């Protein structure tokens, strides 16, 4: 059984009968597998190829159906096997006409002329039309047609050469004429046809063909005929016998007259900055043997422009030439086949088409042989993979290679010793200089603020800045501010930074990178459009996709490899603002129901972890019920310090998650997220944020009619208002909370305790003491020893303010005896109170002992707030007993913690340290 691809796709039985394949996409599946004969093709790759990069939701099931149908008709030496991560078509190479064609060309290369003619004619007879002529879609055809068509033309050329050697040039005319009609500027074909016409007595036709070709070369390419075509013309004019062109050989040598190639494109106009990167390239590449410089970065960041600037600067150091090829790794079409790139390089190095080998390995060997001992700069732009680059690497240690890619290509670093340079977005100053270069200094100096904002709206990305500059340059009546106003609209920013008529722009560049992603990573990128923040960790990514964290990390690393995300810290990923807007566009293409479910999973992930973190920051925490979507993976927070660190890292994301819940009318999630954030801001001493959170939570609980939750927020509102000195409002809030208790003695207890705290904050010490004593009775009544201990500690603080340190010390010590064996934050606070009472009584040693015990316990619990208080208190005691030199280390430790926790007392303590500094 055979598979024919050189024309319409055919499956031919052993008896020579065509087998009906049915659906058009089934032909594509067969072709894709046959082109990778005996090699696994992943399911994701098949989906991408068969549906031209846009597989519908049901594509996977349809693909499985096509596979099943193909298995029914395959046989006689060709089999379709499932093999992770996809499928493989197995069989002999001769079973696929593409490989039969290639093998015949290889066999003909070293065969005698008569045998070569037979082999080449057999090879060309395999062609029944354009490659994959009836395959729907373009992806697969574009991936293979250029290379195979090139081989077909090489076969036509070599057949003409062999026939000429056998004095049978007339037999070559027909095939050459068809090939020249289709490729009128291919000089190797034209020169052979000129000679064949001359040898068959048609000199007038030969001369006419030469002149037509010369004119077309001048009109379309602006060049004169090359040496081979000029020599054919000379032979016709002289009436000589035609020289026999050389037979193809792998070790063919270029003409001695060939000039060194100088293929570097011109530098980009308006190149600015990059002094650091250029210096890094000098340091890592200049003077190094076999050096490979790899420049990686996101789409539009200016990798090619940077590489060109450096390459032009060192071009004089490479007297044997500079080679350049755009590997089109991220173009709309398929990446350039390394064979095609090698053919171009070999031509540039002086080989004629008839001298260039057929298969990749032989071409690469020719390339390395030609560069042996030479000093050549090779620039491989826009590479997609290490596999695409590796055949193009010279063997000569005197050559230098520059590679640019959106992918990190770590394999080149590991296996080839490449030096990798990450190209970042432009610094602000360089980005502004780029706009000056595009628009002129007079125009930019008139609107400096608009220029600064435009730079940031473009993410300091050279591609975006150049498009913005081009739009303004072509519209001289526009102000820069008018474009800034347009770009402020996030909905239209990506389209505004595009050139639709050229198919270029930020959106187009990102779209190509997106289409090249495996399905799991592509799905995550779409889901990231639902994440409100600028960064996230693997647990949040797992929640968005409802997968485990190990799989999420794999997808995140793939996105970072493609420079769509940046790993800012281990397991934490950020994205540029334009990438964020692109993910919003992707998310909008998904089902609204699926997006809402994913958003709720994300909210429940943040809520679940925040609730667990809150338990480490506060005593008496009653955990929420299980969320609707319990995350499969979440970080384990085992201490106060770990909880505080997590809140600090996720503060912005939690605030944005709260906004999503609030704006979406999700009242329960709203108040629960607000309560968790309030616990964090309480530890930070951030009173204004607490006030806003309490009001948000209070409104949500009232709309829900949840009286217990409303009372909870009223109590937290009361303590916050008291800290802000708004005592009357604080008292009203606490009394309203008490009125909602409805016989719930624990809620009444909390209301009384908070009311006592508010009165103490207002220095209404007698009323505060009376209220706290009432709360103490309720605590004893309900048997809540932990609350009783905390309330007695508050009573001790009231007594301290009333200058009754003996009574305060007695109550504080009683409170210490009530705490359970497991230490708590209230326990640490009470040790601080014992120290303060001892200090008032002039018992410095006892005060220090208690403060130090509190410090040790706070450190054990990871309670940095109490650590700060104890350090400061220890410093104050030592100042009195041993002087400021002994006190200052503790004050400094306290100040560091104050600043880390963003506490308002930091400025006062800093001033104290300044005043007591040694002169």
């Amino acid at each position: 059984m055979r598979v024919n691809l050189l024309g319409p796709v055919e499956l031919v039985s052993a008896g020579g009968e065509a087998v009906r394949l049915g659906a058009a996409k089934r032909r594509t599946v067969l072709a894709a597998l046959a082109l990778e004969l005996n090699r696994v093709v992943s399911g994701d790759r098949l989906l991408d190829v068969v549906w031209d990069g846009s597989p519908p939701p049901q594509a996977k099931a349809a693909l499985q159906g096509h596979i099943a149908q193909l298995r029914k008709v395959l046989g006689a030496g060709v089999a379709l096997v499932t093999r992770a991560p996809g499928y493989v078509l197995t069989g002999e190479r001769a079973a696929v006409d593409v490989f039969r064609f290639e093998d015949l060309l290889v066999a003909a290369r070293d065969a005698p002329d008569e045998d070569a003619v037979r082999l080449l004619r057999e090879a060309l007879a395999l062609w029944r039309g354009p490659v994959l002529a009836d395959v729907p879609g373009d992806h697969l055809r574009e991936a293979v047609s250029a290379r195979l068509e090139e081989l077909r033309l090489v076969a036509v050329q070599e057949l003409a050469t062999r026939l000429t050697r056998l004095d049978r040039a007339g037999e070559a005319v027909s095939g050459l004429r068809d090939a020249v009609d289709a490729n009128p500027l291919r000089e190797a074909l034209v020169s052979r046809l000129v000679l064949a016409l001359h040898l068959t007595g048609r000199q007038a036709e030969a001369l006419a063909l030469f002149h037509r070709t010369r004119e077309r070369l001048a009109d379309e390419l602006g060049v004169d005929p090359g040496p081979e075509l000029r020599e054919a013309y000379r032979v016709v004019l002289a009436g000589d016998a035609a020289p026999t062109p050389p037979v193809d050989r792998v070790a063919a040598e270029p003409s001695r007259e060939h000039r060194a190639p100088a293929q570097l494109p011109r530098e980009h106009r308006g190149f600015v900055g990059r002094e650091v990167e250029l210096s890094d390239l000098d340091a890592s590449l200049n003077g190094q043997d076999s050096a490979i410089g790899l420049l990686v970065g996101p789409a539009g960041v200016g990798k090619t422009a940077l590489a060109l600037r450096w390459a032009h600067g060192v071009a004089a150091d490479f007297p044997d030439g500079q080679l350049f090829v755009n590997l089109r790794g991220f173009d709309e079409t398929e990446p350039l086949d390394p064979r095609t790139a090698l053919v171009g390089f070999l031509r540039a190095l002086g080989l004629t088409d008839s001298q260039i080998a057929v298969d990749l390995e032989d071409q690469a060997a020719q390339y390395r042989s030609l560069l042996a001992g030479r000093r050549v700069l090779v620039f491989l732009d826009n590479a997609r993979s290490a596999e695409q680059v590796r055949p193009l690497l010279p063997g000569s240690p005197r050559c230098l290679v520059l590679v640019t890619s959106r992918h990190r290509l770590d394999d080149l670093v590991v296996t080839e010793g490449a030096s990798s340079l990450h190209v970042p977005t432009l610094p602000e100053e360089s980005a502004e200089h780029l706009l000056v270069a595009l628009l002129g200094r007079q125009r930019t100096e008139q609107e400096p603020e608009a220029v600064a904002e435009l730079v940031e709206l473009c993410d300091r990305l050279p591609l975006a800045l150049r498009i913005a500059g081009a739009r303004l340059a072509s519209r001289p009546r526009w102000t820069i501010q008018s474009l800034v106003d347009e770009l402020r609209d996030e909905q239209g920013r990506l389209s505004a930074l595009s050139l639709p008529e050229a198919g270029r722009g930020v959106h187009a560049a990102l779209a190509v990178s997106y289409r090249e992603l495996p399905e799991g990573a592509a799905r995550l990128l779409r889901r990231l459009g639902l994440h409100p923040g600028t960064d996230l960790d693997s647990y949040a990514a797992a929640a968005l996709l409802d997968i485990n964290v190990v799989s999420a990390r794999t997808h995140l690393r793939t996105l970072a490899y493609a420079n769509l995300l940046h790993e800012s810290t281990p397991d934490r990923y950020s994205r540029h603002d334009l990438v964020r807007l692109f993910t919003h566009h992707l998310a909008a293409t998904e089902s609204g129901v699926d997006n809402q479910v994913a958003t709720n999973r994300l909210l429940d992930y943040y809520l679940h972890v925040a609730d667990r973190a809150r338990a480490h920051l506060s005593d008496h925490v009653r955990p929420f019920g299980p969320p609707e979507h319990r995350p499969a993976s979440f970080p384990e927070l085992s201490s106060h310090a770990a909880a505080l660190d997590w809140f600090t890292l996720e503060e912005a994301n939690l605030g944005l998650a709260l906004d999503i819940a609030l704006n979406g009318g999700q009242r329960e999630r709203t108040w629960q997220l607000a309560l968790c954030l309030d616990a964090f801001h309480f530890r930070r001493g951030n009173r204004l944020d607490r006030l806003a959170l309490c009001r948000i939570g209070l409104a949500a609980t009232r709309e829900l009619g949840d009286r217990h939750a409303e009372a909870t927020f009223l109590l937290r509102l009361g303590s916050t208002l008291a800290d802000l000195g708004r005592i009357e409002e604080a008292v009203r809030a606490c009394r309203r909370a008490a009125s909602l208790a409805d016989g719930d003695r624990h809620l009444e207890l909390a209301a009384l305790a908070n009311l006592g705290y508010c009165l103490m904050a207002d220095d209404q010490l007698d009323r505060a003491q009376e209220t706290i004593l009432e709360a103490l009775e309720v605590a004893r009544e309900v048997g809540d020893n932990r609350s009783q201990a905390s309330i007695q500690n508050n009573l001790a603080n009231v007594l301290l303010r009333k200058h009754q340190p003996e009574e305060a010390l007695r109550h504080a010590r009683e409170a210490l005896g009530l705490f359970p064996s497991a230490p708590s934050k209230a326990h640490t606070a009470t040790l601080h109170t014992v120290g303060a009472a001892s200090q008032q009584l002039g018992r410095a040693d006892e005060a220090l002992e208690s403060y130090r015990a509190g410090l040790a316990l706070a450190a054990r619990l990871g309670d940095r707030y109490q650590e700060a208080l104890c350090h400061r208190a220890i410093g104050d005691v030592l100042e009195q007993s041993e002087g400021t030199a002994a006190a200052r280390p503790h004050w400094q430790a306290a100040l560091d913690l104050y600043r880390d926790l963003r506490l308002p007392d930091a400025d006062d303590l800093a001033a104290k340290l300044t005043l007591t500094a040694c002169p």
Side-chain angles (χ1 to χ4, degrees):
M1 182 162 274
R2 303 191 312 275
V3 181
N4 293 334
L5 308 177
L6 299 174
V9 176
E10 287 184 343
L11 181 62
V12 182
S13 70
E17 299 174 351
V19 177
R20 188 175 182 278
L21 289 172
K25 291 195 182 300
R26 195 168 303 149
R27 295 197 297 274
T28 310
V29 175
L30 177 61
L33 292 167
L35 286 166
E36 299 291 340
L37 187 70
N38 298 319
R39 290 187 292 191
V40 177
V41 182
S42 72
D44 286 344
R45 175 64 180 158
L46 281 173
L47 290 170
D48 185 66
V49 166
V50 176
W51 278 272
D52 252 10
S54 302
Q58 70 276 16
K60 188 173 183 180
L63 175 62
Q64 291 169 345
H66 291 314
I67 294 290
Q69 292 301 315
L70 285 173
R71 281 177 172 149
K72 291 179 181 179
V73 297
L74 288 171
V78 179
L80 208 172
V81 181
T82 300
R83 189 173 298 161
Y87 306 94
V88 58
L89 188 72
T90 63
E92 297 294 328
R93 282 177 61 85
V96 179
D97 62 353
V98 167
F99 301 117
R100 174 66 177 154
F101 171 72
E102 292 178 349
D103 291 346
L104 286 168
L105 261 61
V106 172
R109 189 184 62 209
D110 296 318
D113 291 339
E114 288 284 1
D115 292 339
V117 167
R118 176 180 53 80
L119 292 168
L120 290 167
R121 281 179 166 164
E122 184 181 346
L124 289 168
L126 294 171
W127 285 74
R128 298 164 294 106
V131 180
L132 307 176
D134 59 348
V135 165
D138 298 324
H139 274 37
L140 187 60
R141 187 182 307 105
E142 290 174 352
V144 299
S145 61
R147 181 181 69 83
L148 291 173
E149 180 61 24
E150 175 67 27
L151 290 180
R152 188 184 71 82
L153 294 176
V154 168
V156 171
Q157 290 168 195
E158 186 166 359
L159 178 59
T161 298
R162 298 304 184 104
L163 287 169
T164 300
R165 288 170 64 92
L166 294 169
D167 293 327
R168 295 158 56 184
E171 298 176 36
V173 169
S174 177
L176 282 170
R177 195 186 299 279
D178 290 342
V180 167
D181 287 345
N183 302 271
L185 298 180
R186 190 179 180 100
E187 294 185 55
L189 285 171
V190 176
S191 65
R192 281 162 175 76
L193 182 53
V194 166
L195 292 173
L197 290 170
H198 167 62
L199 289 172
T200 54
R202 289 180 270 184
Q203 282 81 5
E205 288 184 56
L207 292 173
L209 173 60
F210 171 80
H211 289 300
R212 284 200 308 273
T213 305
R214 178 176 56 79
E215 290 170 1
R216 292 192 68 165
L217 287 169
D219 291 344
E220 298 183 28
L221 300 181
V223 297
D224 294 325
E228 188 175 3
L229 184 52
R230 291 199 307 271
E231 175 61 17
Y233 177 58
R234 187 198 65 75
V235 168
V236 176
L237 288 177
D240 296 339
T244 303
V247 178
D248 287 359
R249 290 289 184 267
V250 170
E253 291 292 333
S255 165
R256 294 181 182 274
E257 299 177 1
H258 184 75
R259 296 177 58 188
Q263 295 185 336
L264 290 180
R266 69 183 184 86
E267 291 189 65
H268 289 199
R269 176 179 174 270
F271 183 90
V272 297
R274 299 299 193 193
E275 290 82 4
V276 172
E277 290 81 6
L278 290 168
S279 176
D280 287 344
L281 286 171
D282 284 337
S284 60
L285 300 180
N286 260 350
Q288 302 295 319
D289 286 345
S290 303
I292 302 173
L294 174 60
L295 286 76
V296 299
V301 80
K303 302 179 291 296
T304 300
L306 170 61
L308 277 175
R309 167 53 65 95
W310 190 83
H312 277 285
V314 300
D317 297 334
F318 297 89
D320 296 316
Q322 305 90 42
L323 296 170
F324 173 88
V325 65
N326 180 0
L327 293 174
R328 301 203 305 262
F330 303 93
D331 283 8
E332 294 288 341
T333 57
E334 286 291 321
L336 191 71
D337 191 301
R339 294 176 180 86
T340 305
L342 275 171
V343 168
F345 280 176
L346 291 170
R347 287 174 181 160
L349 291 167
L351 295 192
T352 64
D353 288 345
S354 62
Q355 293 174 305
I356 296 173
V358 174
D359 59 33
L360 176 64
E361 290 185 7
D362 284 347
Q363 289 172 352
Q366 282 182 308
Y367 172 65
R368 291 192 296 272
S369 297
L370 291 173
L371 292 185
R374 297 190 187 186
R375 185 159 176 76
V376 174
L377 171 63
V378 181
F379 189 156
L380 308 176
D381 192 29
N382 205 18
R384 179 174 174 185
S385 65
E387 290 71 25
Q388 190 186 23
V389 167
R390 196 168 281 114
L392 305 175
L393 297 177
S396 171
R398 301 182 64 206
C399 292
L400 183 145
V401 181
L402 281 180
V403 184
T404 69
S405 181
R406 297 183 196 178
H407 288 171
R408 291 203 308 254
L409 304 188
D410 296 335
D411 193 27
L412 287 182
V413 177
V414 174
T415 62
E416 306 294 343
S419 300
S420 183
L421 172 67
H422 182 269
V423 182
T425 56
L426 289 170
E428 181 180 353
E429 184 178 5
S430 294
E432 291 183 2
H433 287 167
L434 177 55
L435 286 177
V436 171
L438 295 169
L439 300 175
R441 187 168 301 280
Q442 181 178 0
R443 193 169 178 186
T444 55
E445 285 182 347
Q446 291 175 354
E447 299 179 82
E449 293 180 359
V451 167
E453 187 173 356
L454 179 58
V455 160
E456 295 308 316
L457 288 169
C458 291
D459 260 355
R460 291 179 280 114
L461 198 68
L463 174 63
L465 288 164
R466 287 183 179 278
I467 291 172
R471 292 190 65 195
L472 288 167
S474 64
R475 297 165 176 82
R477 294 183 182 276
W478 278 26
T479 63
I480 298 174
Q481 185 63 49
S482 63
L483 181 57
V484 167
D485 293 340
E486 180 182 347
L487 294 179
R488 280 176 179 164
D489 177 12
E490 292 192 348
Q491 298 297 320
R493 190 182 307 168
L494 283 178
S495 60
L497 293 174
S498 298
L499 299 174
E501 66 280 3
R504 296 175 183 170
V506 178
H507 187 281
L510 293 172
V512 173
S513 293
Y514 163 69
R515 283 197 296 271
E516 299 302 329
L517 294 171
E519 175 52 32
R523 183 166 169 255
L524 176 56
L525 194 66
R526 295 194 295 272
R527 285 284 182 257
L528 288 181
L530 306 175
H531 192 282
T534 58
D535 68 343
L536 82 166
D537 64 8
S538 55
Y539 293 103
L544 279 169
L545 288 182
D546 197 21
I547 59 176
N548 63 56
V549 73
V550 175
S551 298
R553 283 177 181 144
T554 298
H555 297 328
L556 286 166
R557 287 167 185 158
T558 299
L559 294 176
Y561 180 83
N563 272 296
L564 290 165
L565 297 181
H566 172 62
E567 191 171 11
S568 49
T569 58
D571 199 36
R572 195 161 193 89
Y573 297 82
S574 60
R575 52 188 164 161
H576 291 299
D577 206 38
L578 293 175
V579 174
R580 179 182 63 82
L581 297 180
F582 180 69
T583 62
H584 287 177
H585 162 78
L586 293 178
T589 66
E590 298 282 278
S591 156
V593 173
D594 289 347
N595 281 347
Q596 187 59 59
V597 171
T599 298
N600 289 345
R601 283 200 306 266
L602 181 69
L603 295 180
D604 284 348
Y605 160 74
Y606 281 124
L607 185 56
H608 181 71
V609 183
D611 188 33
R612 294 167 68 88
R614 176 175 69 108
H616 289 291
L617 301 188
S618 307
D619 293 326
H620 315 293
V621 168
R622 184 169 74 175
F624 305 137
E628 179 183 354
H629 305 280
R630 190 177 190 275
S633 304
F634 50 86
E636 294 294 339
L637 306 176
S638 57
S639 68
H640 181 284
L644 199 59
D645 286 344
W646 183 85
F647 265 121
T648 301
L649 203 58
E650 298 289 0
E651 179 183 359
N653 285 335
L654 288 168
L656 293 168
L658 174 61
D659 289 341
I660 291 174
L662 179 62
N663 295 329
Q666 301 186 47
R667 297 181 182 88
E668 184 168 4
R669 288 187 174 102
T670 295
W671 76 256
Q672 289 177 344
L673 282 166
L675 191 61
C676 292
L677 277 166
D678 177 68
F680 168 62
H681 287 303
F682 171 73
R683 302 310 300 172
R684 280 284 177 86
N686 192 331
R687 295 158 182 161
L688 293 177
D689 280 350
R690 287 196 70 201
L691 188 62
L693 287 164
C694 287
R695 285 174 172 162
I696 289 171
L698 195 58
T701 57
R702 284 173 174 166
E703 289 175 9
L704 275 173
D706 188 334
R707 293 168 66 87
H708 190 280
E710 180 185 352
T712 299
F713 272 102
L714 283 166
L715 294 174
R716 302 189 81 83
L717 177 63
S719 63
T720 305
L721 289 167
D723 287 341
L724 290 168
R726 296 160 61 174
I727 304 302
E728 289 186 9
E729 295 175 72
V731 169
R732 284 199 300 271
C734 292
R735 285 176 174 159
R736 171 61 182 160
S739 72
L740 294 171
D742 288 337
D744 184 334
R745 297 292 279 168
H746 289 279
L747 195 52
E748 289 179 16
L749 170 60
L752 284 169
N754 266 37
L755 180 58
Y757 175 83
C758 293
L759 293 169
M760 177 176 63
D762 195 36
D763 278 336
Q764 299 184 47
L765 299 180
D766 289 338
R767 290 183 62 196
Q769 184 174 348
E770 179 183 341
T771 304
I772 290 170
L773 287 170
E774 185 180 351
L776 195 56
E777 288 301 315
V778 177
R780 287 169 177 159
E781 175 189 330
V782 300
D784 186 344
N785 285 349
R786 186 186 292 272
S787 292
Q788 183 182 340
S790 295
I791 292 167
Q792 277 202 256
N793 180 52
N794 283 345
L795 177 59
N797 278 289
V798 169
L799 293 168
L800 277 175
R801 292 193 181 196
K802 296 177 75 172
H803 305 290
Q804 299 176 29
E806 287 285 1
E807 278 294 293
L809 185 59
R810 180 175 66 81
H811 281 286
R813 284 177 171 163
E814 283 183 16
L816 286 177
L818 290 169
F819 284 110
S821 56
S824 66
K825 287 169 280 297
H827 193 158
T828 306
T830 305
L831 284 168
H832 185 278
T833 305
V834 169
S838 300
Q839 190 175 356
Q840 270 198 26
L841 289 166
R843 304 170 187 172
D845 291 342
E846 293 179 25
L848 278 176
E849 181 181 358
S850 188
Y851 286 143
R852 284 172 171 153
L855 179 62
L857 181 57
R860 177 181 159 195
L861 294 173
D863 187 342
R864 288 184 283 178
Y865 176 75
Q866 287 295 336
E867 280 188 76
L869 297 183
C870 289
H871 268 302
R872 177 162 190 174
I874 291 170
D876 291 345
V877 174
L878 290 175
E879 180 189 27
Q880 298 298 319
S881 59
E882 300 180 26
T884 56
R888 284 178 59 81
H890 287 281
W891 287 339
Q892 186 62 56
L895 177 60
D896 292 342
L897 287 164
Y898 279 3
R899 284 175 171 164
D900 187 42
L901 296 171
R902 293 183 290 184
L903 295 176
D905 294 339
D907 291 341
D908 291 343
L909 188 52
K912 187 170 187 176
L913 277 163
T914 301
L915 288 172
T916 57
C918 296

